[in-house]
PDB file of all heavy atoms in Angstrom:
ATOM      1  N   THR A  33     106.735 110.640 102.037  1.00 89.00           N
ATOM      2  CA  THR A  33     106.639 111.785 102.978  1.00 89.00           C
ATOM      3  C   THR A  33     107.418 111.516 104.271  1.00 89.00           C
ATOM      4  O   THR A  33     107.348 112.330 105.177  1.00 89.00           O
ATOM      5  CB  THR A  33     105.171 112.047 103.324  1.00 89.00           C
ATOM      6  OG1 THR A  33     104.635 110.922 104.045  1.00 89.00           O
ATOM      7  CG2 THR A  33     104.337 112.309 102.078  1.00 89.00           C
ATOM      8  N   LEU A  34     108.121 110.418 104.324  1.00 88.00           N
ATOM      9  CA  LEU A  34     108.796 109.999 105.567  1.00 88.00           C
ATOM     10  C   LEU A  34     110.305 109.905 105.385  1.00 88.00           C
ATOM     11  O   LEU A  34     110.786 109.554 104.307  1.00 88.00           O
ATOM     12  CB  LEU A  34     108.271 108.632 106.024  1.00 88.00           C
ATOM     13  CG  LEU A  34     106.761 108.508 106.208  1.00 88.00           C
ATOM     14  CD1 LEU A  34     106.369 107.066 106.364  1.00 88.00           C
ATOM     15  CD2 LEU A  34     106.311 109.330 107.394  1.00 88.00           C
ATOM     16  N   GLY A  35     111.043 110.198 106.455  1.00 84.00           N
ATOM     17  CA  GLY A  35     112.504 110.028 106.421  1.00 84.00           C
ATOM     18  C   GLY A  35     113.150 110.800 105.300  1.00 84.00           C
ATOM     19  O   GLY A  35     112.949 112.003 105.151  1.00 84.00           O
ATOM     20  N   SER A  36     113.901 110.087 104.466  1.00 85.00           N
ATOM     21  CA  SER A  36     114.591 110.719 103.330  1.00 85.00           C
ATOM     22  C   SER A  36     113.641 110.935 102.146  1.00 85.00           C
ATOM     23  O   SER A  36     114.052 111.467 101.111  1.00 85.00           O
ATOM     24  CB  SER A  36     115.780 109.871 102.899  1.00 85.00           C
ATOM     25  OG  SER A  36     115.310 108.634 102.345  1.00 85.00           O
ATOM     26  N   ARG A  37     112.411 110.470 102.269  1.00 85.00           N
ATOM     27  CA  ARG A  37     111.371 110.571 101.246  1.00 85.00           C
ATOM     28  C   ARG A  37     111.694 109.725 100.008  1.00 85.00           C
ATOM     29  O   ARG A  37     111.129 109.919  98.948  1.00 85.00           O
ATOM     30  CB  ARG A  37     111.147 112.032 100.849  1.00 85.00           C
ATOM     31  CG  ARG A  37     110.649 112.854 102.015  1.00 85.00           C
ATOM     32  CD  ARG A  37     110.335 114.238 101.641  1.00 85.00           C
ATOM     33  NE  ARG A  37     109.817 114.905 102.827  1.00 85.00           N
ATOM     34  CZ  ARG A  37     109.652 116.191 102.925  1.00 85.00           C
ATOM     35  NH1 ARG A  37     109.982 116.960 101.924  1.00 85.00           N
ATOM     36  NH2 ARG A  37     109.175 116.700 104.031  1.00 85.00           N
ATOM     37  N   ASN A  38     112.586 108.781 100.204  1.00 86.00           N
ATOM     38  CA  ASN A  38     112.975 107.888  99.124  1.00 86.00           C
ATOM     39  C   ASN A  38     112.174 106.595  99.261  1.00 86.00           C
ATOM     40  O   ASN A  38     111.851 106.183 100.366  1.00 86.00           O
ATOM     41  CB  ASN A  38     114.485 107.615  99.229  1.00 86.00           C
ATOM     42  CG  ASN A  38     114.986 106.798  98.074  1.00 86.00           C
ATOM     43  OD1 ASN A  38     114.948 105.576  98.129  1.00 86.00           O
ATOM     44  ND2 ASN A  38     115.451 107.472  97.037  1.00 86.00           N
ATOM     45  N   VAL A  39     111.890 105.948  98.143  1.00 90.00           N
ATOM     46  CA  VAL A  39     111.087 104.715  98.168  1.00 90.00           C
ATOM     47  C   VAL A  39     111.974 103.469  98.122  1.00 90.00           C
ATOM     48  O   VAL A  39     111.535 102.410  97.688  1.00 90.00           O
ATOM     49  CB  VAL A  39     110.032 104.678  97.032  1.00 90.00           C
ATOM     50  CG1 VAL A  39     109.000 105.767  97.223  1.00 90.00           C
ATOM     51  CG2 VAL A  39     110.706 104.771  95.678  1.00 90.00           C
ATOM     52  N   GLY A  40     113.202 103.594  98.582  1.00 87.00           N
ATOM     53  CA  GLY A  40     114.119 102.457  98.585  1.00 87.00           C
ATOM     54  C   GLY A  40     114.162 101.716  99.899  1.00 87.00           C
ATOM     55  O   GLY A  40     113.532 102.088 100.897  1.00 87.00           O
ATOM     56  N   ALA A  41     114.961 100.660  99.906  1.00 88.00           N
ATOM     57  CA  ALA A  41     115.071  99.774 101.069  1.00 88.00           C
ATOM     58  C   ALA A  41     115.659 100.481 102.285  1.00 88.00           C
ATOM     59  O   ALA A  41     115.222 100.238 103.421  1.00 88.00           O
ATOM     60  CB  ALA A  41     115.918  98.548 100.702  1.00 88.00           C
ATOM     61  N   ARG A  42     116.653 101.335 102.069  1.00 88.00           N
ATOM     62  CA  ARG A  42     117.286 102.015 103.232  1.00 88.00           C
ATOM     63  C   ARG A  42     116.294 102.885 103.991  1.00 88.00           C
ATOM     64  O   ARG A  42     116.260 102.871 105.219  1.00 88.00           O
ATOM     65  CB  ARG A  42     118.493 102.813 102.788  1.00 88.00           C
ATOM     66  CG  ARG A  42     119.666 101.908 102.441  1.00 88.00           C
ATOM     67  CD  ARG A  42     120.900 102.659 102.135  1.00 88.00           C
ATOM     68  NE  ARG A  42     121.415 103.303 103.326  1.00 88.00           N
ATOM     69  CZ  ARG A  42     122.301 104.281 103.338  1.00 88.00           C
ATOM     70  NH1 ARG A  42     122.786 104.727 102.202  1.00 88.00           N
ATOM     71  NH2 ARG A  42     122.704 104.805 104.448  1.00 88.00           N
ATOM     72  N   ASN A  43     115.485 103.652 103.264  1.00 90.00           N
ATOM     73  CA  ASN A  43     114.522 104.505 103.934  1.00 90.00           C
ATOM     74  C   ASN A  43     113.428 103.655 104.595  1.00 90.00           C
ATOM     75  O   ASN A  43     113.000 103.966 105.724  1.00 90.00           O
ATOM     76  CB  ASN A  43     113.884 105.513 102.961  1.00 90.00           C
ATOM     77  CG  ASN A  43     113.138 106.610 103.664  1.00 90.00           C
ATOM     78  OD1 ASN A  43     113.524 107.069 104.735  1.00 90.00           O
ATOM     79  ND2 ASN A  43     112.033 107.052 103.067  1.00 90.00           N
ATOM     80  N   ALA A  44     112.993 102.595 103.932  1.00 91.00           N
ATOM     81  CA  ALA A  44     112.007 101.707 104.553  1.00 91.00           C
ATOM     82  C   ALA A  44     112.550 101.114 105.845  1.00 91.00           C
ATOM     83  O   ALA A  44     111.853 101.042 106.859  1.00 91.00           O
ATOM     84  CB  ALA A  44     111.614 100.590 103.570  1.00 91.00           C
ATOM     85  N   GLY A  45     113.829 100.734 105.818  1.00 89.00           N
ATOM     86  CA  GLY A  45     114.449 100.177 107.016  1.00 89.00           C
ATOM     87  C   GLY A  45     114.599 101.188 108.114  1.00 89.00           C
ATOM     88  O   GLY A  45     114.375 100.884 109.297  1.00 89.00           O
ATOM     89  N   ARG A  46     114.982 102.403 107.758  1.00 90.00           N
ATOM     90  CA  ARG A  46     115.135 103.483 108.743  1.00 90.00           C
ATOM     91  C   ARG A  46     113.801 103.763 109.443  1.00 90.00           C
ATOM     92  O   ARG A  46     113.750 104.010 110.632  1.00 90.00           O
ATOM     93  CB  ARG A  46     115.613 104.756 108.075  1.00 90.00           C
ATOM     94  CG  ARG A  46     117.088 104.978 108.190  1.00 90.00           C
ATOM     95  CD  ARG A  46     117.448 106.400 107.745  1.00 90.00           C
ATOM     96  NE  ARG A  46     118.593 106.303 106.860  1.00 90.00           N
ATOM     97  CZ  ARG A  46     118.596 106.612 105.570  1.00 90.00           C
ATOM     98  NH1 ARG A  46     117.530 107.075 105.003  1.00 90.00           N
ATOM     99  NH2 ARG A  46     119.674 106.468 104.856  1.00 90.00           N
ATOM    100  N   MET A  47     112.739 103.756 108.660  1.00 89.00           N
ATOM    101  CA  MET A  47     111.429 104.153 109.194  1.00 89.00           C
ATOM    102  C   MET A  47     110.725 102.995 109.920  1.00 89.00           C
ATOM    103  O   MET A  47     110.026 103.237 110.906  1.00 89.00           O
ATOM    104  CB  MET A  47     110.535 104.684 108.080  1.00 89.00           C
ATOM    105  CG  MET A  47     111.087 105.911 107.348  1.00 89.00           C
ATOM    106  SD  MET A  47     111.674 107.241 108.433  1.00 89.00           S
ATOM    107  CE  MET A  47     110.213 107.639 109.345  1.00 89.00           C
ATOM    108  N   TYR A  48     110.888 101.763 109.422  1.00 91.00           N
ATOM    109  CA  TYR A  48     110.074 100.666 109.960  1.00 91.00           C
ATOM    110  C   TYR A  48     110.876  99.435 110.375  1.00 91.00           C
ATOM    111  O   TYR A  48     110.296  98.394 110.694  1.00 91.00           O
ATOM    112  CB  TYR A  48     109.007 100.258 108.926  1.00 91.00           C
ATOM    113  CG  TYR A  48     108.030 101.379 108.669  1.00 91.00           C
ATOM    114  CD1 TYR A  48     108.133 102.165 107.525  1.00 91.00           C
ATOM    115  CD2 TYR A  48     107.043 101.684 109.600  1.00 91.00           C
ATOM    116  CE1 TYR A  48     107.264 103.210 107.306  1.00 91.00           C
ATOM    117  CE2 TYR A  48     106.168 102.717 109.378  1.00 91.00           C
ATOM    118  CZ  TYR A  48     106.277 103.492 108.232  1.00 91.00           C
ATOM    119  OH  TYR A  48     105.430 104.533 108.020  1.00 91.00           O
ATOM    120  N   GLY A  49     112.197  99.540 110.368  1.00 87.00           N
ATOM    121  CA  GLY A  49     113.007  98.448 110.874  1.00 87.00           C
ATOM    122  C   GLY A  49     113.525  97.466 109.822  1.00 87.00           C
ATOM    123  O   GLY A  49     113.269  97.595 108.639  1.00 87.00           O
ATOM    124  N   SER A  50     114.252  96.476 110.329  1.00 89.00           N
ATOM    125  CA  SER A  50     114.965  95.549 109.448  1.00 89.00           C
ATOM    126  C   SER A  50     114.035  94.691 108.616  1.00 89.00           C
ATOM    127  O   SER A  50     114.356  94.325 107.484  1.00 89.00           O
ATOM    128  CB  SER A  50     115.908  94.666 110.255  1.00 89.00           C
ATOM    129  OG  SER A  50     115.202  93.957 111.242  1.00 89.00           O
ATOM    130  N   LYS A  51     112.843  94.378 109.135  1.00 93.00           N
ATOM    131  CA  LYS A  51     111.901  93.580 108.353  1.00 93.00           C
ATOM    132  C   LYS A  51     111.463  94.347 107.096  1.00 93.00           C
ATOM    133  O   LYS A  51     111.399  93.786 105.990  1.00 93.00           O
ATOM    134  CB  LYS A  51     110.691  93.213 109.204  1.00 93.00           C
ATOM    135  CG  LYS A  51     109.700  92.313 108.503  1.00 93.00           C
ATOM    136  CD  LYS A  51     108.541  91.943 109.434  1.00 93.00           C
ATOM    137  CE  LYS A  51     107.502  91.139 108.704  1.00 93.00           C
ATOM    138  NZ  LYS A  51     106.327  90.875 109.535  1.00 93.00           N
ATOM    139  N   ALA A  52     111.144  95.635 107.247  1.00 91.00           N
ATOM    140  CA  ALA A  52     110.741  96.453 106.114  1.00 91.00           C
ATOM    141  C   ALA A  52     111.902  96.581 105.114  1.00 91.00           C
ATOM    142  O   ALA A  52     111.700  96.550 103.907  1.00 91.00           O
ATOM    143  CB  ALA A  52     110.276  97.821 106.586  1.00 91.00           C
ATOM    144  N   PHE A  53     113.126  96.739 105.648  1.00 92.00           N
ATOM    145  CA  PHE A  53     114.304  96.804 104.780  1.00 92.00           C
ATOM    146  C   PHE A  53     114.423  95.541 103.972  1.00 92.00           C
ATOM    147  O   PHE A  53     114.583  95.579 102.744  1.00 92.00           O
ATOM    148  CB  PHE A  53     115.584  97.018 105.595  1.00 92.00           C
ATOM    149  CG  PHE A  53     116.844  96.890 104.770  1.00 92.00           C
ATOM    150  CD1 PHE A  53     117.328  97.980 104.074  1.00 92.00           C
ATOM    151  CD2 PHE A  53     117.495  95.688 104.660  1.00 92.00           C
ATOM    152  CE1 PHE A  53     118.474  97.867 103.304  1.00 92.00           C
ATOM    153  CE2 PHE A  53     118.647  95.541 103.878  1.00 92.00           C
ATOM    154  CZ  PHE A  53     119.133  96.645 103.203  1.00 92.00           C
ATOM    155  N   LEU A  54     114.322  94.401 104.628  1.00 94.00           N
ATOM    156  CA  LEU A  54     114.511  93.114 103.971  1.00 94.00           C
ATOM    157  C   LEU A  54     113.431  92.853 102.926  1.00 94.00           C
ATOM    158  O   LEU A  54     113.744  92.422 101.803  1.00 94.00           O
ATOM    159  CB  LEU A  54     114.516  92.001 105.012  1.00 94.00           C
ATOM    160  CG  LEU A  54     115.022  90.643 104.550  1.00 94.00           C
ATOM    161  CD1 LEU A  54     116.451  90.720 104.033  1.00 94.00           C
ATOM    162  CD2 LEU A  54     114.952  89.656 105.714  1.00 94.00           C
ATOM    163  N   ILE A  55     112.180  93.113 103.246  1.00 94.00           N
ATOM    164  CA  ILE A  55     111.090  92.902 102.300  1.00 94.00           C
ATOM    165  C   ILE A  55     111.297  93.797 101.074  1.00 94.00           C
ATOM    166  O   ILE A  55     111.159  93.353  99.932  1.00 94.00           O
ATOM    167  CB  ILE A  55     109.717  93.180 102.939  1.00 94.00           C
ATOM    168  CG1 ILE A  55     109.414  92.090 103.978  1.00 94.00           C
ATOM    169  CG2 ILE A  55     108.614  93.230 101.884  1.00 94.00           C
ATOM    170  CD1 ILE A  55     108.207  92.385 104.864  1.00 94.00           C
ATOM    171  N   THR A  56     111.627  95.059 101.317  1.00 94.00           N
ATOM    172  CA  THR A  56     111.842  95.997 100.202  1.00 94.00           C
ATOM    173  C   THR A  56     113.030  95.576  99.358  1.00 94.00           C
ATOM    174  O   THR A  56     112.956  95.557  98.124  1.00 94.00           O
ATOM    175  CB  THR A  56     112.035  97.423 100.743  1.00 94.00           C
ATOM    176  OG1 THR A  56     110.890  97.800 101.493  1.00 94.00           O
ATOM    177  CG2 THR A  56     112.232  98.422  99.612  1.00 94.00           C
ATOM    178  N   PHE A  57     114.127  95.218 100.008  1.00 94.00           N
ATOM    179  CA  PHE A  57     115.324  94.804  99.276  1.00 94.00           C
ATOM    180  C   PHE A  57     115.051  93.568  98.441  1.00 94.00           C
ATOM    181  O   PHE A  57     115.391  93.513  97.246  1.00 94.00           O
ATOM    182  CB  PHE A  57     116.472  94.533 100.258  1.00 94.00           C
ATOM    183  CG  PHE A  57     117.728  94.034  99.578  1.00 94.00           C
ATOM    184  CD1 PHE A  57     118.526  94.914  98.872  1.00 94.00           C
ATOM    185  CD2 PHE A  57     118.092  92.713  99.637  1.00 94.00           C
ATOM    186  CE1 PHE A  57     119.673  94.470  98.225  1.00 94.00           C
ATOM    187  CE2 PHE A  57     119.217  92.253  98.998  1.00 94.00           C
ATOM    188  CZ  PHE A  57     120.028  93.145  98.290  1.00 94.00           C
ATOM    189  N   ILE A  58     114.392  92.577  99.018  1.00 95.00           N
ATOM    190  CA  ILE A  58     114.083  91.353  98.267  1.00 95.00           C
ATOM    191  C   ILE A  58     113.139  91.657  97.108  1.00 95.00           C
ATOM    192  O   ILE A  58     113.330  91.176  95.990  1.00 95.00           O
ATOM    193  CB  ILE A  58     113.495  90.272  99.209  1.00 95.00           C
ATOM    194  CG1 ILE A  58     114.597  89.749 100.125  1.00 95.00           C
ATOM    195  CG2 ILE A  58     112.875  89.113  98.406  1.00 95.00           C
ATOM    196  CD1 ILE A  58     114.097  88.853 101.249  1.00 95.00           C
TER     197      ILE A  58
END
Side-chain angles (χ1 to χ4, degrees):
T33 65
L34 305 168
S36 67
R37 299 183 177 168
N38 186 273
V39 295
R42 287 186 68 196
N43 194 35
R46 262 191 227 115
M47 301 310 301
Y48 296 102
S50 58
K51 184 178 175 185
F53 171 86
L54 194 58
I55 291 169
T56 301
F57 178 75
I58 290 170

